[in-house]
Amino acid sequence: MAVVTAPVAAAADAAPTGRPLARYGPALGSATACAGFAALIPTIADYSSIRVAWPWISGLGVELSFLIDGLALIFALLITGIGALVLAYSASYFKGHHKLVRLLVLLVLFELSMLGLVLADNLILMFVFWELTTVTSFLLVGFDHEKADARNKALQALLVTAAGGLALLAGILLIGAVAGTLEASALPAAAAALKADPLYPAILVLVLLGAFTKSAQFPFHFWLPNAMAAPTPVSAYLHSATMVKAGVYLLARLTPALGGTGPWLWTLTIVGGVTAVLASIWALRQTDLKLTLAYTTVMALGTLTMFLGGASAIALAAAVTFLIVHAFYKAALFLAVGILDKKAGSREIDQLGGLARPMWRTWVVVALAALSMAGFPPFLGFIGKELKYEGALAVASEPLLVVTFAVAANAMMVAVAGLVAIKPFLGPRTATAAKAGEPPFAMWLGPAVLATGGLVFGIAPELVGAALVNPTASVMIGDRVAKDFKLWHGVNIPLMLSILTFVLGVVIYLALGRIRRGLAAGEAHGLWAAESGYDGVLAGTKALAAWQTRVIQTGRQTQYFLWTTTVLAALLWAGLAMGGFAVMPRGVEAISLIELTMLALAAFGAVATVVTRSRLLAILALGLLGSAVAAIFVFYGAIDVAMTQLLVETLIVVIVAVALLRLPRLTPAPGLEVRWGHLGVALATGVATALALTAVLGTELDRRITDFFEQASATEAFGRNIVNVILVDFRALDTLGEIAVVVVAALGAVALLTRRREHREASR
Amino acid sequence: MELALAVLVGVLTTCAVYLMLSGNMVRFIFALALLSNAVNLVIFAAGRLTYAAPPLIADGAKAPADTVANALPQALILTAIVIGFGLLAFTLVLVHRAHQTLGTVEADDMRVAEPASDDDEAR
Amino acid sequence: MNSIILTAATRVITPLMVAFSLFILLRGHNEPGGGFIGGLVATTAFALYAKALGVRATRAALRVEPAAIAVAGLGLAALAGLWGLLAGGAFLEGMWPLLTTTPSGDKAGLPLGSVLLFDVGVYLVVVGSVLAILFALEEDVAASSPEEAD
């Protein structure tokens, strides 16, 4: 844990113009954490896992439990490793910026939330971290909060992902109810019960809503490209390498518990496939390199979702491998686009060209990352792609569908890779090339490490394959997976498909200009329907809020109160109708004359208070009521209560008499004229209250607590007045709260009066 | 007796709500007192009415010898009475103070926090 | 109010009522009574004193600001809770330092401890709070219309 908290402490130290050590402190901390996680690789490669837990809210089955298995470790390594590079990059990118500290602190907070999300074993705990990533992401997307556009887009990301988060929470609670546990590690044992339960479809819909919104699946994809309002390092970290993969992580984590069924397979395959293909088309449409990369991220997320649906060992291994591949090349390319933006002054593809000479070091990095993206051997991307095709062919139900989606999406990735690596660097020189220059080392380091990683792991795939991918796939499939990772598999169908992909990709790249024009025309025909749906819902909600504010919140207390009582009465009547009437006792019981007299006196006092126009009479009537009620308390053995009631009645008269005669007389009108509407509401409330009380009396009294108090009062609390023992011993915490309220009321009253008096004396 | 008590609770509640709807803060104070009595009686009756001794234990005994009245609702009501009194006193001071400052005890004329807008005037 | 009889009687009755209120407070754990009722009795006594002799005289008789009494009472009750927390392990757990266990397993001795301290706190809160409101109201009314002041 100390390793994990190190970056926070370091970020807090960093000053905006601070020493390099302070600025790069968070990066160093994150790198240390990454090294710590890397030390766990041998344990995980051995197909074992580590679990630690502390009790938290044990009554609700919520534990502070963490689990490190293959799946968690892959994410933890990506989060801390890429986190270290991005933090170092940001410290250089924002050097001298007045909000550098804010950015670093937010990034570190996000990193910790994301780590918590992937390491949490308890699903509620995971959800807490899930929401924390949503919140930190909101703050990071809205980092340029002076701009209305950034604020709106941050709000959009927040609303979409938080709405999905709510659905997820409901899904988690249902899982807990059905499976009887909230620990993810214990869920596979309950998988059969979960899948057979009638609530399974509801669980599936809710969990998938959470995952799809977070991972920007169609039709919730629109927030992710809009989140590019964030600074480039943020986009590289949150919106390509880590946060958007949280949904994928969730699907992977729950695959053993919920996966493998027909609905799971079809939903994931179709949603993922559609997302992948649509996103790659939209990616080609963009001219802003950052947006292009954003859409290819959506595409990658769709691909991952599609393969997670497959539920075969190879498909899952393909998904895990592609996850790593994508994190490496996408983060590298995002950071490189940030370099172009900063050093060449533009991200627009049409304005960039001929940068290979002035920025050759950057170009090498971009070329390496793009080759991995396009899936050329000997890069890790090639292995990922071969595995994808192998996995697609192994998909149980519809291999052809998955293969088609995969080939189409990959071909367009080849085209995009070419677009990013060729056009800005080898294209005709533009004005930007003249003033372009190499970035500082700290900015170049991140993309360089990531891009080189794609090459190194491609040449030695066992480093990730045996150590991480196989254990992870094993976790998901619930059976030991020992896939061989080799660069060269011989001539087989996946290789054929790869060649087909390259050919298609080159064709698309060459035809890019025409495609873009065609897409621009198509855009006019509602390709953005999903986002306009969001806008519509948002506008509708605002209009509804404005309408109900106008109607209900008139600023008139009487109307507020009328609404409140009307709703209260309606609820009471609804409760009565839904079973209250059924339990009411029938028949009339005996009542003595003295009781009847007291009841009549009390009722008379109440009615007199309403109809009188004299304040003194009203006070007297209230006193009469209070005394009659005290008498009723005496009849039924409540001596303490009766004494309290009588004393309070006395003091009420004393206090009310002091103030009341300074207040204006009761105006005659409301007393004489009957307000029929108000009387109706009052009667509805009063009659419902009386009936509800009658219904309560028709139920069996649960005397367990009373019996306990009666038995324990003398023996355990050494008091023979049970009422007093309850007040000062058994329920003393309640009493403490109550006397605190009394003190606050007194202090408030004194303050109200004293301020007035001092003001008056000062003005004399 | 229970049913008769329920009727009384109904009467008290009706009177209290009617007074509260009047918009006159002095009547509101009266209504508050009525409502506290109604609520106390509801709690009392919900713990059942028994013609029995108060919930006291004889000296030397370990538990009540005979059936005694339900102590739990009594404890609840006892604090409720005191709290209700505190609330009533505070409300009284608040109304008194509002009257000094704003010159009215009609709730709908107190528009400092939510001033009447133009379309309010038009209505 | 300028009744000589009331004034004279009050001088006698008030101390008696306060003494009675302490009696009610102390016996409250075993007989009807306790901090709330005892506090209300004492409050009534001081309210009567204020009616007969005026607020200023009552403040002098009390010597302590009523709001301070209320806050002190709340502090005592919280202290009783802390006692239970430190000595017994749970906030507000009852503590009886003067009780000993007899060989037969029963408890013997004086049942005095944190619970009584708590009840004293309740008593002081009731007295202090109600008197604070009452005095403030009386003084405010007197200040706003001097000619009607007692």
Side-chain angles (χ1 to χ4, degrees):
Chain A
M1 283 296 114
V3 169
V4 177
T5 49
V8 181
D13 286 347
T17 55
R19 299 174 304 280
L21 192 64
R23 275 193 288 133
Y24 293 108
L28 288 175
S30 186
T32 318
C34 182
F37 283 116
L40 297 174
I41 292 179
T43 316
I44 300 306
D46 203 25
Y47 294 93
S48 53
S49 62
I50 304 162
R51 185 173 184 276
V52 286
W54 295 273
W56 186 21
I57 314 172
S58 44
L60 296 176
V62 180
E63 255 194 312
L64 218 52
S65 57
F66 296 94
L67 174 78
I68 302 184
D69 57 6
L71 183 62
L73 189 63
I74 285 188
F75 273 92
L77 285 168
L78 290 176
I79 291 162
T80 51
I82 297 180
L85 298 170
V86 168
L87 283 167
Y89 181 97
S90 306
S92 173
Y93 189 89
F94 280 97
K95 188 177 175 184
H97 193 285
H98 65 287
K99 287 194 292 187
L100 173 65
V101 175
R102 179 189 162 91
L103 180 80
L104 290 181
V105 169
L106 284 175
L107 276 175
V108 169
L109 284 179
F110 166 77
E111 178 172 345
L112 291 178
S113 317
M114 194 66 209
L115 261 186
L117 197 167
V118 298
L119 295 182
D121 190 21
N122 189 288
L123 291 179
I124 298 287
L125 185 63
M126 189 204 76
F127 171 77
V128 170
F129 285 116
W130 176 285
E131 292 293 280
L132 282 176
T133 64
T134 302
V135 172
T136 41
S137 158
F138 167 72
L139 293 172
L140 283 165
V141 174
F143 184 70
D144 290 322
H145 55 76
E146 299 89 350
K147 296 181 189 152
D149 185 50
R151 289 200 302 272
N152 287 337
K153 286 171 171 174
L155 186 65
Q156 188 185 56
L158 179 75
L159 288 179
V160 174
T161 49
L166 283 181
L168 174 63
L169 178 62
I172 288 175
L173 294 178
L174 284 182
I175 289 178
V178 173
T181 176
L182 284 166
E183 304 297 313
S185 53
L187 282 181
L194 272 169
K195 289 173 197 168
D197 199 272
L199 282 173
Y200 176 75
I203 293 175
L204 197 62
V205 168
L206 290 168
V207 168
L208 291 185
L209 270 177
F212 287 173
T213 47
K214 193 84 166 180
S215 279
Q217 298 297 298
F218 183 80
F220 308 111
H221 59 280
F222 54 88
W223 72 266
L224 181 54
N226 284 339
M228 294 300 127
T232 302
V234 171
S235 306
Y237 193 35
L238 272 69
H239 304 121
S240 78
T242 54
M243 189 187 83
V244 290
K245 300 237 174 78
V248 173
Y249 168 80
L250 179 74
L251 295 177
R253 181 54 81 201
L254 293 178
T255 296
L258 303 175
T261 63
W264 171 277
L265 190 145
W266 282 107
T267 317
L268 263 62
T269 308
I270 292 176
V271 171
V274 167
T275 307
V277 172
L278 282 179
S280 40
I281 294 172
W282 288 326
L284 296 176
R285 162 75 187 88
Q286 305 306 320
T287 54
D288 180 340
L289 281 177
K290 196 175 168 188
L291 275 180
T292 311
L293 291 179
Y295 278 108
T296 59
T297 304
V298 177
M299 188 231 87
L301 295 168
T303 312
L304 283 168
T305 305
M306 182 168 80
F307 278 96
L308 285 173
S312 75
I314 301 174
L316 294 179
V320 177
T321 314
F322 181 56
L323 179 93
I324 301 173
V325 174
H326 176 256
F328 272 82
Y329 75 70
K330 188 54 63 64
L333 287 177
F334 257 112
L335 295 177
V337 166
I339 294 177
L340 288 181
D341 196 11
K342 197 101 174 169
K343 292 292 158 188
S346 177
R347 302 190 312 228
E348 283 294 321
I349 190 78
D350 296 335
Q351 293 174 14
L352 295 167
L355 294 171
R357 192 178 300 271
M359 298 181 75
W360 68 269
R361 283 196 291 158
T362 308
W363 183 47
V364 169
V365 168
V366 170
L368 287 176
L371 285 170
S372 189
M373 180 180 185
F376 275 99
F379 289 87
L380 191 57
F382 173 72
I383 295 167
K385 183 153 52 67
E386 297 281 295
L387 261 177
K388 271 198 268 179
Y389 289 146
E390 203 179 327
L393 292 167
V395 164
S397 49
E398 283 296 327
L400 197 63
L401 182 71
V402 177
V403 168
T404 313
F405 275 142
V407 170
N410 277 335
M412 284 187 251
M413 273 218 298
V414 173
V416 170
L419 186 72
V420 175
I422 300 174
K423 172 70 177 59
F425 295 96
L426 298 178
R429 277 180 71 97
T430 61
T432 52
K435 50 185 185 190
E438 291 288 0
F441 177 74
M443 278 173 75
W444 179 79
L445 178 72
V449 168
L450 291 166
T452 317
L455 179 61
V456 171
F457 293 128
I459 295 167
E462 286 300 316
L463 285 179
V464 285
L468 290 170
V469 176
N470 280 342
T472 305
S474 306
V475 168
M476 289 194 279
I477 205 88
D479 196 9
R480 182 165 290 211
V481 176
K483 177 99 186 73
D484 265 350
F485 286 81
K486 284 197 219 123
L487 200 54
W488 177 247
H489 279 277
V491 179
N492 53 13
I493 301 180
L495 189 70
M496 298 295 177
L497 289 172
S498 274
I499 296 169
L500 175 67
T501 309
F502 291 134
V503 173
L504 272 175
V506 172
V507 170
I508 295 171
Y509 177 74
L510 293 175
L512 207 53
R514 209 168 306 158
I515 293 173
R516 199 173 283 161
R517 277 192 298 280
L519 289 173
E523 211 165 82
H525 296 95
L527 265 179
W528 307 99
E531 186 169 3
S532 58
Y534 164 86
D535 289 338
V537 170
L538 200 63
T541 312
K542 282 181 182 166
L544 183 70
W547 174 82
Q548 72 93 22
T549 308
R550 237 181 2 258
V551 171
I552 298 175
Q553 302 191 22
T554 54
R556 304 177 72 83
Q557 184 265 344
T558 43
Q559 282 190 18
Y560 289 172
F561 196 75
L562 192 62
W563 278 108
T564 314
T565 22
T566 309
V567 171
L568 175 71
L571 283 177
L572 277 172
W573 282 104
L576 286 166
M578 285 160 64
F581 288 118
V583 295
M584 276 185 197
R586 304 272 188 267
V588 182
E589 326 129 67
I591 180 166
S592 71
L593 188 62
I594 179 98
E595 284 170 351
L596 200 61
T597 315
M598 286 305 154
L599 291 174
L601 280 177
F604 173 75
V607 175
T609 313
V610 175
V611 295
T612 183
R613 272 179 290 147
S614 153
R615 291 163 296 174
L616 271 179
L617 268 183
I619 298 175
L620 284 179
L622 279 178
L624 177 67
L625 163 68
S627 309
V629 170
I632 295 172
F633 288 143
V634 173
F635 294 154
Y636 294 97
I639 300 296
D640 290 88
V641 179
M643 284 163 71
T644 314
Q645 170 92 3
L646 281 176
L647 286 163
V648 162
E649 287 303 330
T650 315
L651 287 169
I652 285 181
V653 172
V654 171
I655 285 195
V656 170
V658 174
L660 201 60
L661 299 178
R662 309 284 154 185
L663 294 173
R665 288 172 197 287
L666 298 173
T667 39
L672 291 179
E673 282 173 19
V674 178
R675 293 165 283 134
W676 290 107
H678 288 176
L679 187 61
V681 174
L683 270 173
T685 318
V687 173
T689 312
L691 290 174
L693 178 56
T694 317
V696 167
L697 293 171
T699 59
E700 193 69 28
L701 178 65
D702 185 345
R703 276 187 61 95
R704 275 176 301 176
I705 303 176
T706 303
D707 287 340
F708 167 78
F709 288 149
E710 285 179 2
Q711 296 307 318
S713 182
T715 52
E716 289 179 30
F718 314 110
R720 292 182 286 107
N721 178 356
I722 303 173
V723 174
N724 188 260
V725 171
I726 295 176
L727 285 175
V728 297
D729 195 335
F730 292 138
R731 307 291 309 164
L733 192 61
D734 295 356
T735 311
L736 186 63
E738 281 155 346
I739 58 177
V741 171
V742 172
V743 170
V744 169
L747 293 180
V750 171
L752 272 175
L753 292 168
T754 313
R755 263 191 56 212
R756 163 79 176 183
R757 198 159 57 238
E758 278 167 0
H759 176 72
R760 203 164 41 213
E761 275 157 12
S763 63
R764 267 180 196 165
Chain B
M1 175 64 186
E2 275 93 343
L3 295 182
L5 199 62
V7 172
L8 176 62
V9 166
V11 171
L12 292 185
T13 313
T14 308
C15 292
V17 171
Y18 185 73
L19 280 178
M20 285 181 170
L21 284 169
S22 75
N24 181 303
M25 294 315 284
V26 177
R27 287 198 163 90
F28 193 93
I29 294 172
F30 297 154
L32 215 52
L34 287 179
L35 206 57
S36 342
N37 272 307
V39 171
N40 290 342
L41 285 176
V42 166
I43 300 175
F44 193 58
R48 299 304 185 273
L49 306 179
T50 35
Y51 267 124
L56 299 170
I57 302 170
D59 204 359
K62 291 194 167 176
D66 288 323
T67 311
V68 291
N70 195 343
L72 182 59
Q74 293 193 19
L76 295 177
I77 299 168
L78 205 151
T79 44
I81 292 174
V82 177
I83 284 251
F85 176 44
L87 178 67
L88 189 78
F90 180 77
T91 315
L92 185 72
V93 169
L94 195 62
V95 171
H96 172 69
R97 185 79 173 73
H99 177 236
Q100 283 179 337
T101 310
L102 304 172
T104 178
V105 289
E106 294 298 324
D108 287 349
D109 295 338
M110 299 178 180
R111 300 302 292 264
V112 179
E114 292 179 76
S117 57
D118 293 340
D119 49 316
D120 260 2
E121 303 297 325
R123 243 183 266 156
Chain C
M1 264 179 259
N2 289 318
S3 155
I4 295 173
I5 298 174
L6 179 66
T7 312
T10 303
R11 287 186 195 280
V12 181
I13 290 173
T14 300
L16 283 178
M17 276 180 83
V18 172
F20 180 62
S21 77
L22 290 173
F23 168 69
I24 285 188
L25 161 69
L26 291 176
R27 75 164 202 165
H29 216 48
N30 293 322
E31 305 291 334
F36 280 110
I37 299 174
L40 287 168
V41 170
T43 311
T44 315
F46 286 113
L48 180 68
Y49 199 84
K51 279 283 158 220
L53 297 161
V55 171
R56 190 168 297 166
T58 320
R59 276 192 192 277
L62 267 178
R63 287 195 178 81
V64 187
E65 181 71 21
I69 296 179
V71 173
L74 194 59
L76 276 190
L79 208 63
L82 284 180
W83 183 358
L85 179 67
L86 295 178
F91 189 67
L92 284 168
E93 181 164 339
M95 286 291 128
W96 292 273
L98 301 180
L99 279 186
T100 48
T101 311
T102 60
S104 61
D106 287 338
K107 301 274 184 178
L110 266 182
L112 294 181
S114 67
V115 170
L116 183 66
L117 188 65
F118 186 86
D119 220 3
V120 171
V122 171
Y123 175 93
L124 292 179
V125 164
V126 172
V127 173
S129 301
V130 180
L131 286 183
I133 298 177
L134 179 66
F135 290 176
L137 259 179
E138 292 266 18
E139 284 165 348
D140 188 75
V141 168
S144 55
S145 48
E147 70 281 5
E148 288 178 50
D150 48 15

